[in-house]
């Protein structure tokens, strides 16, 4: 709270977006590929990896795993092929921040991937992109073509002898493929089934070779870190959680969009100043902080919080993927949970019994409540099923769905009880924010 | 060999060269996506041709085709309308939009109009939550949708020659 320094540093959204700001010429005028030049000419692969470790950069894909520690598992000189995959699956509902990078700053990703590939001695890097993204695909493909023509991708990059190819691999509609091991199964041309760990993917990943999977936003920080140094990066954000976060905010907010904030930014300031408050001047009921799999926080809870994992986690949630959803007073949480459970049920890949069956049960229970056939003990049953997932599944999806359900049930139980007792919603099943007049 | 696969062979060979050695299995998704772009769905004869060329088992193609929601094994309407029904879109009116489009075209979710023109499906979060609700028309996003905009789009595409050269 004693924080006085203005938190307005930017690492990714540093330029006005225009019709041509994504192109190589303009990116270069802003300094793109200087960090690649610096890394390839003046640093060894270990030095790059050390800089990233020292920066304290943490994953932006949801789990906030330290990037440098993930990379450190790869022995850059062990003579095996290594692979690097940028995770551009962006499937977590509420999240659309990687799309901002892909569409508006693709060269920042390409440059960063090349630097990462150098540090990890990767010759073939992939961007796994969700199948539905067509404009982001065209933008990134265009950037890769420009970079190749300029000698920045492919063989003998910048005349240094280092070579790396980057290919976009497009998915075909599956939320679970955003999970790192499922993503690799998908690049292997199979069903996107998550894999049991161990072995870690950095030991046995794509085609059983050591592989790093990092989120698009995570990777896009690398060029900045190499250019400005780990110390400069750590000066942004907080010492425990350095850097900025791209927050994609949607729902009942007046100005939805992608905002880059420094970790530690005031939550209220983002919602009320930057985003112009709620749609139609409505009151804020609650916020889903980082993708629908993170636990909901009430409007009162976020009032005094800063956007910092060190504050959001003790409050019982997580900044997750940065996919924030603002929800206005008057919204029916029963219907909202129904939308979420339909999604999880639809997306469960079916490998683990607690997830496959649990999602079906949860979905049927909530449908039954909405149909007016619910019983009060259904709520305990839902909580029990949600807890069944905990740690008992191959991937994090089972857990995530469980957290989301428990979060809503804990804070809005009265809405569920009302529906069960009265046979109808407390808020007429409203999901939209209506004008009050 | 299916004529579509035959016509795509030079392109597929080039793609295969770009993958590292031993990545033949990885060709499944890109090849199926490309075939579907041209044919609108993936036919048995396409799979046979790919099996023969790549040496990837047929079952792997069948598994992939049934797992990923974007793949189609059967023809659908000439125009595909997909509307997101996830949280952020629902908070911005997706349910009314889906209801309206289905009613106007006289189909249920997943259905195709009797003239074979439109297929309406729902989708999960498409990464367009800040510009919700989103409707995807033949793979192109139309964002900040509302009922009037949807009506205009459907009007423009209602005839085989309307707007998109049928
Ligand atoms: C069901 C599920 C879906 C996921 N979807 C995504 C996604 O769309 N994008 C992403 O970057 N990470 C996603 N993740 C997280 C990845 O498994 C992985 O942790 C991440 O890509 C690692 O990158 P990072 O360390 O840079 O964050 C998902 C995880 C799960 C369990
Ligand atoms: S938790 Fe669910 S989605 Fe993840 S592997 Fe198991 S069944 Fe599949
Ligand atoms: S919820 Fe519809 S695009 Fe994200």
């Amino acid at each position: 709270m004693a924080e006085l320094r203005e938190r307005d540093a930017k690492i990714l959204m540093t330029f006005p977006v225009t019709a041509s700001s994504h192109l190589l010429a303009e990116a270069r005028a802003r300094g793109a590929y200087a960090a690649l030049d610096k890394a390839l000419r003046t640093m060894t692969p270990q030095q790059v990896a050390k800089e990233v470790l020292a920066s304290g950069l943490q994953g932006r894909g949801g789990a906030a795993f330290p990037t440098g520690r993930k990379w450190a598992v790869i022995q850059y000189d062990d003579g095996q092929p290594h692979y690097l995959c940028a995770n551009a699956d962006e499937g977590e509902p509420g999240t659309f921040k990687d799309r901002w990078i892909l569409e508006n700053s693709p060269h920042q990703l390409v440059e960063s991937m090349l630097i990462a590939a150098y540090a990890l001695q990767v010759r073939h890097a992939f961007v796994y992109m969700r199948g539905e993204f067509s404009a982001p695909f065209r933008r990134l493909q265009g950037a890769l073509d420009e970079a190749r023509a300029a000698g920045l991708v492919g063989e003998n990059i910048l005349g240094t002898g280092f070579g790396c190819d980057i290919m976009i691999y497009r998915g075909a509609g599956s939320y679970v493929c955003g999970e790192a091991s499922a993503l690799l199964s998908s690049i292997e041309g199979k069903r996107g089934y998550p894999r049991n760990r161990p072995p870690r993917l950095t030991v046995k990943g794509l085609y059983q070779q050591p592989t790093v999977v990092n989120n698009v936003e995570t990777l896009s920080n690398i060029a900045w870190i190499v250019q400005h140094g780990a110390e400069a990066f750590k000066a942004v954000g907080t010492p425990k959680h350095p850097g900025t976060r791209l927050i994609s905010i949607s729902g009942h907010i007046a100005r939805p969009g992608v905002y880059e904030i420094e970790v530690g930014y005031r939550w209220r300031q983002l919602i009320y100043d930057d985003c112009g408050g709620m749609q139609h001047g409505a009151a804020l009921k609650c916020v889903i902080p980082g993708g629908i799999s993170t636990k909901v926080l009430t409007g009162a809870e976020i009032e005094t919080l800063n956007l910092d994992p060190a504050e959001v986690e003790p409050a019982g949630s997580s900044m997750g993927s940065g996919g924030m959803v603002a929800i206005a007073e008057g919204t029916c949480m029963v219907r909202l949970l129904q939308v979420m459970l339909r999604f999880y049920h639809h997306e469960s890949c079916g490998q683990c019994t607690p997830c496959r069956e649990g999602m079906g049960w949860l979905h049927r229970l909530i449908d039954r409540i909405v149909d007016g056939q619910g019983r009060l003990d259904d709520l305990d049953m839902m909580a029990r099923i949600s807890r069944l997932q905990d740690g008992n599944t191959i991937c994090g999806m089972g857990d995530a769905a469980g957290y989301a359900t428990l979060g809503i049930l804990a804070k809005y139980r009265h809405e569920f009880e009302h529906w069960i007792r009265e046979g109808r919603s407390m808020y007429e099943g409203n999901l939209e924010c209506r004008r009050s007049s | 060999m299916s004529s579509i696969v035959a016509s795509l062979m030079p392109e597929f060979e080039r793609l295969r060269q770009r993958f590292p050695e031993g990545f033949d299995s990885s060709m499944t998704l890109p090849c199926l996506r490309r075939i579907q772009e041209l044919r609108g769905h993936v036919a048995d004869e396409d799979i046979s041709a790919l099996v023969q060329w790549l040496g990837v088992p047929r079952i792997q193609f069948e598994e992939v085709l049934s797992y990923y929601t974007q793949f189609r094994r059967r023809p659908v309407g000439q125009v595909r309308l997909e509307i997101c029904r996830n949280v952020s879109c629902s908070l911005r009116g997706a349910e009314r939009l889906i209801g309206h489009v289905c009613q106007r075209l006289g189909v249920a979710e997943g259905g195709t109009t009797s003239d074979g023109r439109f297929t309406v499906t729902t989708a999960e979060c498409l990464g367009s939550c800040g510009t919700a609700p989103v409707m995807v028309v033949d793979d192109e996003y139309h964002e900040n949708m509302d009922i009037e905009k949807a009506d205009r789009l459907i009007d423009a595409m209602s005839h085989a020659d309307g707007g998109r050269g049928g």
Side-chain angles (χ1 to χ4, degrees), chain A residues 348-360:
Chain A
S348 170
C349 84
Q351 285 191 103
C352 323
T353 311
C355 176
R356 181 186 64 238
E357 301 302 322
M359 294 310 136

Side-chain angles (χ1 to χ4, degrees), chain A residues 91-96 99 130 250, chain B residues 83-90 94 123-134 141:
Chain A
E92 177 65 22
T95 315
F96 49 102
R99 187 179 157 196
R130 59 177 308 158
S250 64
Chain B
I83 307 172
C84 173
R85 61 175 184 183
N86 213 295
V87 166
S88 303
C89 285
S90 296
E124 300 300 350
C125 180
L126 294 164
S128 201
C129 331
T131 42
V134 57
Y141 282 32

Side-chain angles (χ1 to χ4, degrees), chain B residues 56-151:
Chain B
V56 168
R58 184 172 201 103
I59 183 72
Q60 185 176 332
F61 285 100
E62 297 289 1
E63 283 181 354
V64 161
L65 287 163
S66 59
Y67 183 82
Y68 296 90
T69 54
Q70 286 194 299
F71 286 128
R72 297 180 293 274
R73 287 290 268 121
R74 257 170 267 305
V76 292
Q78 292 162 306
V79 181
R80 287 173 292 111
L81 307 177
E82 282 170 68
I83 307 172
C84 173
R85 61 175 184 183
N86 213 295
V87 166
S88 303
C89 285
S90 296
L91 294 173
R92 290 272 180 166
E95 296 192 338
R96 274 190 301 126
L97 182 66
I98 294 167
H100 174 82
V101 169
C102 285
Q103 193 188 20
R104 166 165 175 180
L105 295 174
V107 294
E109 277 178 41
T112 299
T113 51
S114 51
D115 62 355
R117 186 71 186 149
F118 293 99
T119 298
V120 183
T121 52
T122 52
E124 300 300 350
C125 180
L126 294 164
S128 201
C129 331
T131 42
V134 57
M135 176 159 99
V136 182
V137 183
D138 289 344
D139 299 325
E140 288 304 320
Y141 282 32
H142 294 259
E143 300 172 67
N144 290 311
M145 281 310 285
D146 54 36
I147 286 171
E148 293 72 41
K149 274 183 167 173
D151 275 340

Side-chain angles (χ1 to χ4, degrees), chain A residues 1-321:
Chain A
M1 298 293 327
E3 194 57 65
L4 290 173
R5 183 168 63 91
E6 284 239 31
R7 294 187 172 274
D8 57 1
K10 301 272 188 264
I11 288 174
L12 298 160
M13 302 177 91
T14 52
F15 56 93
V17 171
T18 67
S20 56
S21 54
H22 60 284
L23 297 172
L24 180 61
E26 294 198 22
R28 279 204 134 154
R30 294 193 296 267
Y33 296 102
L36 177 65
D37 196 279
K38 176 178 174 182
L40 294 185
R41 291 190 204 286
T42 69
M43 296 168 84
T44 62
Q46 304 97 295
Q47 282 172 328
V48 174
K50 259 186 154 160
E51 201 67 25
V52 171
L53 184 65
S55 75
L57 174 66
Q58 292 156 357
R60 308 302 199 219
F65 190 83
T67 307
R69 275 180 38 211
K70 188 185 282 187
W71 290 17
V73 179
I74 305 263
Q75 296 299 314
Y76 79 98
D77 55 355
D78 62 4
Q80 307 185 60
H82 308 143
Y83 299 113
L84 170 69
C85 301
N87 189 341
D89 201 54
E90 190 130 275
E92 177 65 22
T95 315
F96 49 102
K97 50 139 187 142
D98 295 332
R99 187 179 157 196
W100 188 91
I101 296 175
L102 298 167
E103 289 185 0
N104 298 305
S105 200
H107 286 290
Q108 196 155 358
L109 173 64
V110 173
E111 179 183 17
S112 292
M113 285 184 73
L114 292 167
I115 296 171
Y118 174 67
L120 303 165
Q121 290 296 295
V122 165
R123 297 220 10 107
H124 291 274
F126 297 89
V127 178
Y128 185 86
M129 193 182 292
R130 59 177 308 158
E132 298 88 346
F133 271 175
S134 41
F137 168 75
R138 286 193 294 268
R139 280 285 171 89
L140 183 64
Q141 189 58 56
L144 287 169
D145 293 344
E146 283 184 305
R148 182 180 302 278
L152 296 162
V153 170
E155 296 303 317
N156 193 20
I157 293 171
L158 293 168
T160 61
F162 174 70
C164 178
D165 193 15
I166 302 179
M167 261 174 104
I168 307 177
Y169 198 91
R170 303 181 74 186
S174 158
Y175 165 65
V176 172
C177 283
E179 194 276 339
S181 64
L183 180 156
L184 299 183
S185 305
S186 187
I187 299 185
E188 290 177 3
K190 306 182 200 136
R191 284 187 165 186
Y193 283 143
R195 307 176 186 171
N196 264 313
R197 324 290 207 279
R200 281 179 290 179
L201 303 179
T202 40
V203 176
K204 278 189 193 312
L206 189 58
Y207 290 101
Q208 303 297 311
Q209 296 299 319
T211 304
V212 164
V213 179
N214 272 134
N215 170 262
V216 162
E217 180 189 349
T218 313
L219 284 168
S220 299
N221 280 288
I222 302 294
W224 196 96
I225 290 169
V226 164
Q227 186 64 17
H228 301 269
E231 284 311 311
F233 188 74
K234 281 203 299 200
V236 180
T238 71
K240 251 188 97 187
H241 301 285
T244 64
R245 295 289 308 255
L246 290 185
I247 303 288
S248 58
I249 181 162
S250 64
H252 300 147
I253 191 88
R255 286 197 291 272
V258 182
Y259 295 81
E260 181 173 20
I261 55 119
E262 227 182 292
V263 174
Y265 198 77
R266 284 188 67 80
W267 209 321
R268 271 194 62 89
Q269 190 171 345
L270 175 68
I271 290 187
Y272 292 100
D273 302 343
D274 304 327
C275 299
M278 301 294 285
Q279 213 182 349
H280 311 318
L284 175 65
K285 178 172 188 168
C286 57
V287 178
I288 300 173
I292 66 164
S293 303
T294 56
K295 278 189 180 169
V296 68
L297 292 174
T298 64
E301 283 173 307
I302 69 144
E303 197 59 28
T304 54
L305 286 182
N306 293 326
L307 288 162
D308 175 354
E311 297 192 28
V312 181
E313 280 161 25
S317 190
S318 149
M319 289 183 62
S321 64

Side-chain angles (χ1 to χ4, degrees), chain A residues 349-391:
Chain A
C349 84
Q351 285 191 103
C352 323
T353 311
C355 176
R356 181 186 64 238
E357 301 302 322
M359 294 310 136
W361 290 337
L362 288 172
H363 185 195
R364 282 190 293 277
L365 282 167
I366 191 99
D367 277 357
R368 183 159 95 186
I369 292 172
V370 168
D371 283 346
Q373 309 293 317
R375 296 191 302 252
L376 282 173
D377 56 9
D378 286 350
L379 300 179
D380 295 325
M381 176 99 82
M382 288 179 77
R384 231 181 5 258
I385 298 167
S386 301
R387 274 189 290 267
L388 253 182
Q389 311 292 334
D390 211 355

